[in-house]
């Protein structure tokens, strides 16, 4: 994955260790992640299913929740939906081994700030957690691809009776599309900034805007995209 | 024109050619029409300023008569003699060797059986046409008939047997006439136009002769004869031209096939051999690789399934990308991270794109030294693009040795043959990105199946 989206690796050394909560139904994976994260972050708890996760996260209010997309009892998005209203400060980073796009998009739409695959290295994961904790988003190439796909297929009207309720939210701007494409091609934010002659901050802004569109748009098309994919 | 001879016709040429000596020593000798010896002798056609065969120039150098005067004389002689001048000119062209050449065109022409046949055919056709014409009452044609025939026949021989440089001159001067002897496709049109004109003229003359009421049947049979004559003379020739075209097209197809085959062999056999060399210390791996390659080769040679070919039933573009991801990962043990946006049916263009993409991926895996290679493919309504990026050691795309077929043939060549493009960006120490774009034949976008 992208160890390269690295604005502040090592800079956060001074005490600001993000408090991390791990939700995954595989015990082996949980301990593996715990070990990989080492002392760079403060792992304050673990959970293996939706109910216990909701309960503990609500009680402990971690900075970042590492959330498996596939969870018994409703999947990752159930956890996000349950926590977000009451605890807006808790941020979620989705993780998964197998990439069913509709599940990933569902978690993001529920409110997760980023998505990485489980093949990510420990350093990269720490970096991603730091960035989520700082309020940024973490788009892996895969997520960028999923999002492009989701928005592209809904852009083709294909005989829908209902017009898009909010075109502003239902479509990506050409610039956002460009940024997503470069992420999907494996570019770092810094490289994207150089390529498009914009600042890294602007790249961040575009990505956040994409995230907002994903989460806010009324999206019967987005759900339709998901069901289409499931039917296939 | 030749400057010195124009301003001072009786002075020798500055470069002192042999025939200029002649011109100086016998400056007022009367002009002699060309009957020079065939293989050696003073008269040589000149290539320096020639308009046609350089006969006038040669004569002018031989006799000392000014070049322009000589040309005017030849043209006048042609007009007065009813074309005999032109015929003589062509005969001279045939018989007099060009300066610097040992043999005259005629010696080559005598060996050119096809040329002689062609000349005879055209000549006989002309004679038939002229006979019809004079029979139809165009009496002036009879006067120039033999000269015209000799000129045309001679020209055919000249054009076929002249040196390449001379042929180029002729072609430049008589572009439309060249269509009579060359088999190029564009000139076929000209040839047919000429044939139609000939036919029209012949028929017109025949119809005109009908008014004489000498024979009612003559025009019809004349027309039939005319047609038959044309077909008889030109038919085989047309056939040959058509055959040449077919042969040419087959040769092109063969060349393309060979290039394709070379690319395939490179992708499969050569790649595997390289892998085997790298993993020579692991006999198990080597055996495995060799077996896999053997299977692939067998299925290619005996079941005609090309290696790496993506012709499974119902396979889509995204499936193809996924296959590359899996296979390259399995074969080389380096992670390949593929992201695909959109999907569509595979066609030959997209198969070529996938093959090139696979090659780029294998290259990245083999040479970059990176742990992971990213592949991003996007199907858009009017084009499909595929990017292969690594963060390895990078290279200078211009300094790839020509025998490294991967980049030039397997990637660039493959894309170019299908109308696509390949852009390779690489920086030493930072990595490489290969961007491939293929325009889509059908502009339809489908949602990607899961």
């Amino acid at each position: 994955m992208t160890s390269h989206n690295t604005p502040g690796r090592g800079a956060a050394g001074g005490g600001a260790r993000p408090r991390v909560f791990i939700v995954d139904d595989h015990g082996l994976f949980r301990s593996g992640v715990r070990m990989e994260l080492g002392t760079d972050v403060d792992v304050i708890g673990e959970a293996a299913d939706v109910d216990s996760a909701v309960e503990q996260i609500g009680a402990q209010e971690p900075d970042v929740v590492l959330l498996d997309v596939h969870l018994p009892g409703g999947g990752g998005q159930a956890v996000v939906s349950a926590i977000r209203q009451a605890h807006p400060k808790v941020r979620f980073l989705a993780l998964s081994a197998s990439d069913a796009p509709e599940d990933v998009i569902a978690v993001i739409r529920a409110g997760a700030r980023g998505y990485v695959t489980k093949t990510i290295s420990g350093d990269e994961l720490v970096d991603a957690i730091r960035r989520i904790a700082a309020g940024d988003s973490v788009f892996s190439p895969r997520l960028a691809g999923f999002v492009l796909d989701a928005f592209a297929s809904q852009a083709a009207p294909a005989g829908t009776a209902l017009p898009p309720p909010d075109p502003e939210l239902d479509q990506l701007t050409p610039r956002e599309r460009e940024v997503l494409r470069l992420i999907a091609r494996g570019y770092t934010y810094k490289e994207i900034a150089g390529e498009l002659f914009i600042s890294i901050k602007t790249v961040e802004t575009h990505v956040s805007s994409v995230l907002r569109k994903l989460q806010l748009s009324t999206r019967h098309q987005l759900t339709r995209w998901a069901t289409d994919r499931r039917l296939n | 024109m030749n400057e010195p001879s124009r301003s001072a016709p009786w002075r020798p040429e500055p470069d002192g050619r042999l025939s200029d000596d002649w011109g100086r020593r016998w400056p007022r000798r009367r002009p002699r029409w060309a009957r020079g010896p065939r293989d050696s002798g003073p008269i040589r056609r000149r290539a320096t300023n020639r308009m046609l065969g350089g006969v006038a120039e040669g004569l002018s150098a031989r006799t000392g008569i000014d070049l322009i005067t000589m040309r005017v004389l030849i043209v006048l002689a042609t007009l007065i003699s009813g074309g005999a001048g032109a015929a003589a000119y062509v005969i001279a062209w045939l018989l007099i060797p060009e300066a610097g050449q040992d043999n005259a065109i005629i010696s080559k022409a005598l060996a050119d059986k096809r040329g002689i046949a062609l000349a005879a055919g055209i000549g006989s056709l002309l004679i038939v046409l002229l006979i019809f014409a004079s029979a139809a009452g165009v009496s002036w044609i009879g006067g120039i008939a033999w000269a015209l025939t000799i000129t045309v026949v001679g020209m055919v021989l000249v054009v076929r047997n002249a040196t390449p440089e001379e042929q180029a001159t002729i072609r430049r001067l008589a572009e439309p006439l060249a269509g009579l002897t060359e088999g190029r496709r564009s000139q076929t049109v000209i040839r047919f136009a000429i044939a139609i004109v000939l036919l029209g003229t012949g028929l017109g003359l025949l119809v005109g002769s009908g008014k004489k009421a000498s024979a009612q049947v003559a025009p019809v049979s004349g027309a039939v004869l005319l047609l038959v004559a044309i077909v008889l003379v030109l038919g085989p020739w047309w056939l040959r031209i058509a055959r040449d075209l077919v042969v040419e097209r087959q040769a092109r197809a063969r060349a393309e096939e060979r290039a394709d085959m070379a690319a395939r062999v490179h992708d499969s056999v050569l790649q595997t051999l390289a892998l085997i060399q790298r993993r020579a210390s692991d006999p198990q791996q080597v055996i495995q690789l060799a077996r896999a390659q053997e299977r692939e080769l067998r299925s290619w040679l005996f079941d005609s399934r090309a290696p790496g070919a993506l012709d499974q039933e119902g396979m889509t573009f995204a499936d193809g990308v996924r296959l590359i991801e899996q296979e390259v990962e399995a074969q080389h043990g380096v992670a390949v991270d593929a992201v695909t946006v959109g999907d569509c049916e595979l066609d030959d263009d997209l198969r070529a794109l996938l093959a090139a993409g696979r090659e780029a991926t294998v290259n990245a895996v083999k040479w970059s030294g990176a742990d992971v290679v990213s592949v991003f493919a996007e199907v858009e309504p009017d084009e499909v693009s595929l990017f292969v990026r690594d963060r390895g050691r990078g290279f200078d795309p211009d300094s790839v040795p020509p025998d490294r077929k991967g980049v030039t043939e397997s990637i660039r060549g493959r894309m170019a043959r299908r109308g696509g493009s390949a852009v390779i960006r690489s920086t030493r120490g930072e990595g490489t990105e290969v961007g491939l774009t293929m325009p889509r034949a059908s502009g339809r976008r489908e949602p990607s199946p899961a």
Side-chain angles (χ1 to χ4, degrees):
Chain A
M1 290 287 93
T2 50
S3 67
H4 333 287
N5 303 346
T6 326
R9 154 100 47 131
R17 287 204 307 163
R19 295 163 64 245
V20 175
F21 192 94
I22 305 172
V23 183
D24 198 298
D25 54 332
H26 296 289
L28 209 62
F29 180 77
R30 288 202 302 273
S31 50
V33 169
R34 212 187 244 276
M35 223 171 69
E36 278 202 317
L37 292 179
T39 53
D40 288 336
V41 301
D42 185 8
V43 180
I44 58 169
E46 294 174 11
D49 58 54
V50 172
D51 293 338
S52 62
V54 171
E55 191 183 315
Q56 291 187 59
I57 293 167
Q60 302 189 12
E61 288 213 315
D63 296 325
V64 176
V65 176
L66 278 184
L67 183 64
D68 189 8
V69 172
H70 300 279
L71 265 190
Q77 76 249 45
V79 180
V80 185
S81 320
I83 298 292
R84 262 198 107 212
Q85 287 304 106
H87 308 278
K89 279 195 168 164
V90 178
R91 298 193 172 104
F92 293 88
L93 174 61
L95 266 163
S96 84
S98 76
D99 305 294
E102 55 276 8
D103 297 338
V104 175
I105 294 288
V107 176
I108 297 291
R109 287 198 56 204
R113 300 281 306 168
Y115 166 71
V116 292
T117 45
K118 282 185 178 173
T119 50
I120 191 171
S121 77
D123 288 348
E124 289 169 331
L125 186 57
V126 170
D127 180 51
I129 290 172
R130 285 221 178 91
R131 289 171 53 206
I132 295 278
D136 287 339
S137 50
V138 174
F139 263 50
S140 61
R142 202 160 291 257
L143 178 57
F146 289 162
V147 173
L148 274 174
D149 208 17
F151 276 96
S153 22
Q154 70 160 347
T160 23
L162 293 156
D166 188 349
E168 183 106 342
L169 284 176
D170 280 352
Q171 263 160 35
L172 301 179
T173 65
R175 201 53 150 183
E176 289 163 352
R177 219 170 267 281
E178 238 170 325
V179 169
L180 283 182
R181 263 192 201 120
L182 288 171
I183 294 177
R185 276 160 67 176
Y187 282 57
T188 65
Y189 285 14
K190 192 172 158 218
E191 286 168 334
I192 294 171
E195 183 82 16
L196 300 180
F197 304 105
I198 54 181
S199 70
I200 298 182
K201 204 67 220 157
T202 315
V203 177
E204 275 283 359
T205 313
H206 285 305
V207 175
S208 298
S209 150
V210 170
L211 207 58
R212 193 178 60 93
K213 286 180 180 181
L214 259 180
Q215 290 166 357
L216 291 189
S217 119
T218 43
R219 0 273 24 234
H220 60 269
Q221 282 104 334
L222 253 192
T223 30
R224 213 172 61 83
W225 170 78
T227 40
D228 277 355
R229 290 193 63 102
R230 256 187 257 278
L231 286 178
N232 282 319
Chain B
M1 296 302 101
N2 203 329
E3 285 306 325
S5 55
R6 182 189 283 170
S7 50
W10 310 112
R11 281 223 324 261
E13 301 274 331
D15 56 353
R17 289 168 302 196
L18 176 64
S19 45
D20 294 326
D21 284 342
W22 279 78
R24 193 173 48 184
R25 269 189 262 156
W26 289 277
R28 289 179 201 286
R29 210 168 169 131
R30 77 187 159 83
R32 294 200 329 199
W33 293 107
R35 289 286 186 270
R38 186 179 297 181
D39 290 324
S40 62
I43 294 189
R44 286 285 183 275
R45 292 185 296 106
R46 295 277 165 154
T48 41
N49 279 313
R50 65 160 155 238
M51 283 182 83
L52 282 170
V55 173
E57 225 189 313
L59 279 175
S60 128
R62 167 74 173 75
T63 58
I65 297 174
D66 174 48
L67 178 60
I68 294 179
T69 315
M70 183 58 78
R71 282 184 175 146
V72 171
L73 278 176
I74 292 175
V75 171
L76 278 178
T78 305
L79 290 177
I80 293 166
S81 65
Y89 185 97
V90 172
I91 288 172
W93 195 342
L94 272 172
L95 295 180
I96 302 178
E98 195 178 345
Q101 301 268 329
D102 287 338
N103 296 316
I105 292 174
I106 191 71
S107 65
K108 236 177 107 190
L110 287 176
D112 175 26
K113 293 219 169 63
R114 223 181 236 174
I116 291 173
L118 184 64
I122 289 178
S124 54
L125 171 68
L126 243 180
I127 290 170
V128 169
L129 277 175
L130 293 170
I131 288 172
F132 275 122
S134 57
V138 191
S139 50
W140 57 268
I141 274 188
I144 63 159
W146 66 271
L148 183 61
T149 310
I150 289 174
T151 308
V152 168
V153 167
M155 274 313 290
V156 169
L157 291 176
V158 165
V159 167
R160 279 193 60 97
N161 297 291
T163 59
E165 302 88 67
E166 222 176 339
Q167 280 181 334
T169 315
I170 299 167
R171 212 168 299 139
R172 205 177 54 240
L173 285 170
E175 205 95 62
L177 284 179
L180 284 167
T181 54
E182 297 284 315
R184 299 268 171 277
R185 208 176 309 170
S186 61
Q187 290 164 343
T188 316
V189 180
I190 297 167
R191 193 161 46 242
F192 273 94
I194 290 172
I196 287 167
V197 167
L198 285 176
L199 259 179
T201 318
L203 286 174
L205 291 171
L206 287 168
V207 170
S209 78
K211 285 178 189 149
K212 287 181 175 177
S214 57
Q216 295 279 321
V217 195
V220 179
S221 58
V224 171
L225 273 177
L226 196 64
L227 276 172
V228 169
I230 288 172
V231 170
L232 271 182
V233 172
L234 298 182
W237 184 35
W238 287 337
L239 272 181
R240 185 171 57 79
I241 287 162
R243 212 165 36 232
D244 284 354
L245 280 178
V246 169
V247 166
E248 195 184 304
R249 198 170 308 134
Q250 279 171 343
R252 211 172 26 237
R254 257 201 305 278
E256 264 173 34
E257 204 175 306
R258 208 175 300 127
D260 223 39
M261 188 151 170
R264 287 232 160 104
V265 167
H266 170 268
D267 286 2
S268 57
V269 180
L270 293 183
Q271 293 278 22
T272 308
L273 286 177
L275 270 178
I276 285 178
Q277 287 170 38
R278 284 187 163 204
R279 307 203 175 160
S281 54
D282 186 347
Q284 203 55 44
Q285 277 258 23
V286 169
I287 291 171
Q288 206 178 329
L289 281 168
R291 278 218 187 104
Q293 185 55 64
E294 187 191 338
R295 254 199 313 278
E296 198 178 83
L297 259 187
R298 274 181 193 286
S299 75
W300 181 24
L301 294 177
F302 304 119
D303 310 332
S304 57
R305 270 205 308 118
L310 307 150
D311 41 9
Q312 274 152 269
E313 211 44 47
M315 194 155 190
T316 66
F317 179 72
D319 292 337
V321 175
R322 206 150 32 233
L323 196 71
I324 292 174
E325 182 183 22
Q326 289 163 3
E327 286 184 0
V328 175
E329 231 174 47
Q331 223 169 42
H332 299 264
V334 174
V336 177
D337 216 345
V339 175
T340 315
V341 173
D343 200 1
C344 63
E345 293 300 315
L346 275 181
D347 57 20
D348 285 348
D349 291 350
L350 295 185
R351 280 193 195 96
L353 172 65
L354 282 175
R358 183 203 184 88
E359 183 58 29
T361 313
V362 169
N363 274 351
V365 160
K366 264 174 46 180
W367 305 106
S368 75
D371 306 333
V372 58
V373 174
S374 316
V375 175
F376 171 62
E378 184 174 18
V379 179
E380 287 175 276
D382 45 358
E383 64 176 31
V384 180
S385 43
L386 196 154
F387 296 89
V388 177
R389 177 170 177 102
D390 68 68
R391 290 174 183 285
R393 53 179 73 101
F395 67 97
D396 178 4
D398 297 326
S399 70
V400 175
D403 60 321
R404 278 263 315 269
K405 214 171 172 64
V407 167
T408 50
E409 187 45 42
S410 287
I411 299 179
R412 285 191 208 278
R414 242 185 198 134
M415 295 303 290
R417 277 199 293 280
R418 292 278 174 188
S421 64
V423 178
I424 297 169
R425 287 164 60 176
S426 189
T427 315
R428 274 190 193 284
E430 287 179 23
T432 306
E433 184 178 53
V434 178
L436 308 169
T437 312
M438 184 68 79
R440 271 184 85 180
S442 59
R444 205 161 61 87
R445 181 178 186 123
E446 298 159 23
S448 53

